[in-house]
Amino acid sequence: MKEEPVVVNTIDAKLLSKMFLAGAKNLEVKKEWINELNVFPVPDGDTGTNMTLTIMSAVKEVNSMESLSMENLAKAISSGSLRGARGNSGVILSQLLRGFSKGIRGYEELDAVILAAAFEKGVETAYKAVMKPKEGTILTVAKGAALKAAELAEDCEDLQAFFEDVIAEANAVLKRTPEMLPVLKEAGVVDSGGQGLVTVLEGAFDAFMGKEVDLTFEPGTAQGGGVTKISPQAEADIKFGYCTEFIIVLNKEFHMQDEQELKGYLSSIGDSIVCVADDEIVKIHVHTNDPGLAIQKALTYGSLSKIKIDNMREEHQEKLIKEAEKLAAQQKAAEVPTKENGFIAVSVGAGIGEIFRGLGVDYLIEGGQTMNPSTEDMLNAISMVPAKNIYILPNNKNIILAANQARDLTKDKNIIVVPTKTVPQGITAVISFVPERTPQENLEEMTEAIGNVRTGQVTYAVRDTKIDDKEIHQGDIMGLGDHGILAVGTEVKTVARETVDCMMHEDAELISLYYGEDFSEEEAQALAKELEEAYPDCDIEVNDGGQPIYYCLISVE
């Protein structure tokens, strides 16, 4: 006699955890395919990569849980994804997960009604996070899935059919995204963020159906808190068992005598010592049997950041880490910002970094075009700047949401996110800052100033496509403006010149060139000479940006 199929009406924490991990794994496996759906064929940090790095941060939290419950699982998914969020698609995914997690807390098992309400909460949270939500994106796909879930929930008798119908609706909405966004239709692709979300849902459904899923992840992406295993003999030979690392954020001058004193103290409690100092921070590495002693000594020089302790013998690790974290929390609580205003800028390239430092920026986050920094990177930077008011310059439209998320997660400092979308806008924003103004007045003035900056970026195409009525082939040189592609060709200087021509306006007074690591100073100067002849009423500035990927950045203001 044929067996009746098993009907499943609820999900417990164990199954949901497996489904979440399987969804993340499916996204990781297919991230490059999702990257290929990006409309602009530029070598940027792509949608698939950003969404994967975001969800892997949550995977790490889930894998590190000491006990499994719906409450703990919800917290791990929400906290991990929020802090790991990168790029617009990653931030939106983190907000979907955050809202969903709020909807499942307080329950031991989830039925269709609870799941539908959690989906709706996720969509509501994500839409609120985006200042100007655009339909035809991941948001639209999530909303379509949530509406279908709400429609089916009350009469649901089997979660298998429920999930099948919800995912089918998500796919149907995804296929309609090119009709909502003409740029997708022109490029012949569906929305990459929406595809990423569907990929997560499909992976989760595989786990729900009992499909065997390999839940091992790429090294370093999701393995929480592990240390290298060593042999019993090697363990016996270790004199000092705890590898202790941290950064001291100095609150006073650190002289050579201080460095020698600190090294001498660390030598008295351990070995394998590294002590590297510059004007503002000291990086410490020491093997010791008592990390707390090293931390207490370090606190006499300033506050601590990025504390990391690995127990090389794997004995008493949890106790010592908790003690070290307690000490770190105590010093952070006692820490008082030492100045009124500070600045954080996302930067790429040594030259651009020097320009920002010269303008008084306190902390640079490496990232920008080729790798969008995460919310966690922003939070770490905020902890490193001892100021009451901290202005963040994202300098990339794909980083603004992560900066906003870090602002919302910060309670002890006033964070002002200036919506700079390019490096030249960031430079103009800093120049426009006036200490005597209030933070709100400065934000308004800086925002107005960056509105007068037109930016061009010259790079190469990584694949064939058609966009803005321009046929583009892999390897072509492209000039990108603030709102689309301005020029396409085969020679960098020619495309750069055409890009500037498209950016010019009658009130223009200054043209600034920032040449990258693949565009020589001689080539930049030759381009500047052409521009001087073409636009004699404009001042021309040439700067060594040193940025990768982009041959040159250009601003007209």
Side-chain angles (χ1 to χ4, degrees), residues 514-529:
Y514 304 86
Y515 61 90
E517 60 184 20
D518 295 320
F519 195 60
S520 69
E521 182 179 2
E522 291 74 23
E523 290 172 308
Q525 292 292 353
L527 174 59
K529 187 173 181 181

Side-chain angles (χ1 to χ4, degrees), residues 1 12 179 259 313 376 385 404 424 440:
M1 188 171 67
D12 61 11
E179 302 303 321
E259 182 175 341
R313 300 191 190 102
E376 180 74 17
V385 178
N404 289 341
Q440 183 59 36

Side-chain angles (χ1 to χ4, degrees), residues 30 53 125 142 144 146 158 196 199 219 241 261 282 300 308 312 332 369 391 427 431 437 511 529 548:
K30 297 177 180 176
L53 290 171
T125 305
D158 183 2
T199 300
E261 177 190 354
V282 182
T300 64
K308 180 174 179 289
M312 294 181 291
K332 187 172 183 180
Q369 300 292 357
Y391 296 80
I427 292 170
I431 293 172
R437 294 182 186 139
I511 302 172
K529 187 173 181 181

Side-chain angles (χ1 to χ4, degrees), residues 68-86:
L68 179 60
S69 68
M70 197 68 75
E71 180 76 16
N72 290 343
L73 180 61
K75 287 179 180 178
I77 292 173
S78 178
S79 174
S81 60
L82 281 174
R83 291 178 172 273
R86 297 174 188 266

Side-chain angles (χ1 to χ4, degrees), residues 216-372:
T216 58
F217 294 88
E218 291 179 6
T221 59
Q223 305 309 315
V227 295
T228 303
K229 301 286 184 180
I230 55 177
S231 68
Q233 180 58 48
E235 180 178 323
D237 293 339
I238 292 176
K239 183 177 180 182
F240 299 104
Y242 298 94
C243 176
T244 306
E245 297 177 270
F246 50 83
I247 290 173
I248 307 172
V249 184
L250 297 169
N251 58 18
K252 57 186 177 182
E253 290 189 7
F254 190 77
H255 301 290
M256 181 65 71
Q257 182 179 345
D258 297 315
E259 182 175 341
Q260 294 302 323
E261 177 190 354
L262 180 55
K263 285 181 177 177
Y265 178 79
L266 294 175
S267 297
S268 72
I269 63 169
D271 62 10
S272 299
I273 294 159
V274 176
C275 178
V276 181
D278 67 13
D279 294 339
E280 298 175 351
I281 65 172
V282 182
K283 169 76 174 180
I284 297 295
H285 173 279
V286 59
H287 289 176
T288 177
N289 284 329
D290 194 336
L293 292 176
I295 288 171
Q296 287 174 334
K297 180 66 175 178
L299 286 171
T300 64
Y301 298 97
S303 58
L304 303 190
S305 175
K306 297 188 178 179
I307 298 173
K308 180 174 179 289
I309 301 171
D310 285 337
N311 181 351
M312 294 181 291
R313 300 191 190 102
E314 297 188 304
E315 294 176 354
H316 313 301
Q317 183 182 32
E318 182 178 351
K319 176 175 177 290
L320 286 171
I321 288 178
K322 287 187 182 301
E323 288 175 354
E325 288 176 344
K326 184 178 179 181
L327 280 169
Q330 288 171 346
Q331 66 85 22
K332 187 172 183 180
E335 182 182 340
V336 178
T338 58
K339 60 181 182 176
E340 194 70 21
N341 300 300
F343 291 88
I344 295 168
V346 178
S347 178
V348 60
I352 288 171
E354 286 303 312
I355 292 170
F356 276 124
R357 288 191 186 93
L359 293 171
V361 171
D362 299 274
Y363 192 94
L364 298 177
I365 301 175
E366 288 295 321
Q369 300 292 357
T370 53
M371 176 55 74
N372 300 149

Side-chain angles (χ1 to χ4, degrees), residues 147-189:
L147 288 172
K148 176 57 72 171
E151 175 190 324
L152 299 171
E154 290 294 341
D155 299 323
C156 174
E157 297 180 356
D158 183 2
L159 282 181
Q160 177 180 338
F162 173 78
F163 287 136
E164 286 175 342
D165 288 347
V166 168
I167 293 172
E169 179 64 17
N171 266 307
V173 175
L174 178 65
K175 289 177 182 177
R176 293 198 298 270
T177 55
E179 302 303 321
M180 304 177 206
L181 281 178
V183 68
L184 295 175
K185 190 171 186 178
E186 186 179 14
V189 295

